[in-house]
Amino acid sequence: MSYIYIKISCHVWYVVYRHKRKEYRLMDKTRTVKPPFPGLQTGLIRSADLFGYVGIESVLDQMRRKTVKAGFEFNIMVVGQSGLGKSTLVNTLFKSKVSRKSSTPNYEEKISKTVRLHAVSHVIEEKGVKMKLTVIDTPGFGDQINNQNCWEPIVKYVNEQYEKYLREELNVNRKRRIPDSRVHCCIYFLPASGHSLRPIDVEFMKRLGKIVNIVPVIAKADTLTVEERQEFKERIRQDLEANGIHVYPQRELDEDPEDRILNDRIRASIPFAVVGTDKEHQVNGHKVLGRKTKWGIIEVENVAHCEFANLRDLLIRSHLQDLKDVAHNVHYETYRVRRLNESNMNLSELVLSSWPLQNKMDKCETESHL
C-alpha cells in the first residue's frame, strides 16, 4: 500500500528532481505528511482507497513538456586572474566552445588595465532540451600590481542584473516571461599555490558571497601532489570558516535531512580541485578527455585524478535548478527588499528612475547543438 503525495511548485525541474529523489521515501507506509497550512484540516488518501485511476501523476509529465518547450536559462560567471584556465574549464563543462576566447574570431590575449565584463550567450540543445547558457567572463581581475577594489565592477554588474529584473517585475504590462540575466553561479578560481587564501581571495568572496552563489575551485590542480592537494583544501576550508565566507551550498539553506546528507558530502569536497581540457586521448581503447604529460594522461572525468566530475555534477546534473532557486529566493529577494525599502514603496519613482549600465559588455549569440 503506498501513499500519493505531489509537491506543486512553480519551478518545474525542481519538482521533477525532488519527486525522483524522494520517490522511495514517500512510499514508506510510516511516513506522515504535514499539512501545508497550519489549522487547515487535511487528509491523506491512500492510492488503494481511490475508486479508480485518477491521473494525478500525469501533472509531472504535463509540467515537464511545458518546461522543455519553453527551454531554460543558466547564467554562469567565471572569476580569476589570467592563465588559470577559466575558458578551458567552461568548454570542458559543457563539452563545446562556449567561452569568450573560443567564441571570438582572431582572439588575442591581452591583460586589461581595468576589470571589464564580457557576456557570451549560446543556445545548447541536448536530446531535445534547449538551454540558453550565458558565460560572463571578467578579464583584468587580479592582474594588476594594485588590485584594490578590483571586485567593485563585478559587484556592480551583479546588482545591475537584479535591478533589471526588478524593473521588469514592477512594470504594469510586464512580459509573460521576464528575461533572466541574473548571475546564477560564480565559479571562483584559486591558483594552486599550496599555501592559503590570498587577501584578494578573502575580500572578493566575502563581498560576492552575500549577493551570489560562489563555488570555489583550485585551478590546474595537476600541479599539486595528492597530499599537497588535500592539505591545501583543508587550509582553504579553515580560511573560509575563519573569515565567515559563505559558499554554495549554504548549510542554513538545507531543506531536510536528505538534503543535508547530500550537501555535506559536497561541502567536504569544496574547493574542487579541477583540471580542464578539450582534447581527447586513447586510454585502454577508449577516448577520454585528458591532459597528456610525460608521466601519463590525466583523465579529466576520472575522480581518482581530479574532482572535475564532482564539479560538473554539482553545477549541471544535481543542483542546477537549486542554484537558480537560491539566486531568486535568497539573493535576489534580499536585493528586492532593500531596494523597495530605499524607495519607501514609491514604485513609480523606482520604475521610472534611470539606472545606466556603465559596464561595457560584448555580447555574442551563437547556436550549439550537442
Side-chain angles (χ1 to χ4, degrees), residues 310-329:
N310 297 336
L311 174 66
R312 179 199 58 202
D313 291 348
L314 171 70
L315 295 179
I316 304 172
R317 301 186 180 182
S318 66
H319 283 67
L320 187 149
Q321 184 59 52
D322 190 62
L323 283 163
K324 297 180 66 174
D325 289 343
V326 173
H328 178 79
N329 297 325

Side-chain angles (χ1 to χ4, degrees), residues 339-351:
R339 284 289 288 141
L340 293 181
N341 286 334
E342 287 175 357
S343 64
N344 295 322
M345 298 306 293
N346 188 349
L347 300 185
S348 61
E349 178 183 346
L350 178 63
V351 174

Side-chain angles (χ1 to χ4, degrees), residues 277-293 296-300:
T277 184
D278 52 4
K279 295 181 180 179
E280 290 185 334
H281 299 277
Q282 288 284 135
V283 176
N284 297 326
H286 300 283
K287 283 188 176 182
V288 297
L289 285 172
R291 294 190 65 228
K292 189 173 182 179
T293 68
I297 295 176
I298 303 168
E299 299 177 34
V300 169

Side-chain angles (χ1 to χ4, degrees), residues 158-363:
V158 172
N159 286 329
E160 283 176 349
Q161 307 318 305
Y162 289 151
E163 184 72 14
K164 275 185 183 180
Y165 197 89
L166 179 60
R167 298 284 177 82
E168 289 289 344
E169 277 193 333
L170 296 178
N171 283 338
V172 176
N173 298 316
R174 62 184 182 183
K175 299 174 182 177
R176 198 171 183 181
R177 186 179 181 185
I178 299 176
D180 190 1
S181 60
R182 298 170 297 178
V183 179
H184 300 133
C185 177
C186 172
I187 303 179
Y188 186 69
F189 287 71
L190 300 166
S193 64
H195 301 297
S196 59
L197 291 179
R198 303 168 301 170
I200 187 175
D201 302 327
V202 174
E203 291 300 324
F204 176 85
M205 287 193 282
K206 283 179 70 172
R207 286 166 170 77
L208 266 291
K210 299 175 182 177
I211 61 175
V212 73
N213 298 316
I214 290 185
V215 178
V217 301
I218 300 173
K220 297 187 175 180
D222 53 325
T223 59
L224 300 172
T225 65
V226 175
E227 293 77 16
E228 289 172 341
R229 190 174 75 184
Q230 286 304 118
E231 292 175 3
F232 188 33
K233 284 162 66 75
E234 185 59 36
R235 278 196 291 269
I236 290 175
R237 283 194 289 267
Q238 292 173 359
D239 288 345
L240 292 174
E241 186 175 356
N243 290 281
I245 298 172
H246 300 286
V247 297
Y248 181 86
Q250 298 90 331
R251 190 179 301 276
E252 60 272 15
L253 299 180
D254 293 342
E255 294 189 342
D256 52 40
E258 186 181 355
D259 274 350
R260 179 150 297 176
I261 292 172
L262 174 63
N263 290 338
D264 279 344
R265 288 201 298 266
I266 296 171
R267 284 186 281 263
S269 299
I270 286 177
F272 297 103
V274 298
V275 177
T277 184
D278 52 4
K279 295 181 180 179
E280 290 185 334
H281 299 277
Q282 288 284 135
V283 176
N284 297 326
H286 300 283
K287 283 188 176 182
V288 297
L289 285 172
R291 294 190 65 228
K292 189 173 182 179
T293 68
K294 62 181 181 179
W295 299 282
I297 295 176
I298 303 168
E299 299 177 34
V300 169
E301 297 179 298
N302 187 338
V303 292
H305 293 186
C306 74
E307 296 172 331
F308 168 81
N310 297 336
L311 174 66
R312 179 199 58 202
D313 291 348
L314 171 70
L315 295 179
I316 304 172
R317 301 186 180 182
S318 66
H319 283 67
L320 187 149
Q321 184 59 52
D322 190 62
L323 283 163
K324 297 180 66 174
D325 289 343
V326 173
H328 178 79
N329 297 325
V330 179
H331 299 302
Y332 169 70
E333 189 65 19
T334 302
Y335 177 87
R336 188 187 70 86
V337 170
R338 178 172 63 82
R339 284 289 288 141
L340 293 181
N341 286 334
E342 287 175 357
S343 64
N344 295 322
M345 298 306 293
N346 188 349
L347 300 185
S348 61
E349 178 183 346
L350 178 63
V351 174
L352 296 176
S353 62
S354 60
W355 185 276
L357 302 181
Q358 297 180 4
N359 282 322
K360 297 181 180 180
M361 295 172 51
D362 298 331
K363 291 192 176 181

Side-chain angles (χ1 to χ4, degrees), residues 94-129:
F94 297 97
K95 296 190 176 179
S96 55
K97 304 291 186 180
V98 295
S99 68
R100 175 178 62 94
K101 186 184 296 187
S102 303
S103 303
T104 307
N106 303 321
Y107 177 82
E108 294 183 8
E109 186 72 48
K110 295 180 181 179
I111 297 179
S112 177
K113 294 182 179 180
T114 57
V115 179
R116 298 181 51 147
L117 286 91
H118 301 266
V120 181
S121 295
H122 302 264
V123 177
I124 300 178
E125 182 176 350
E126 183 180 37
K127 295 183 178 180
V129 179

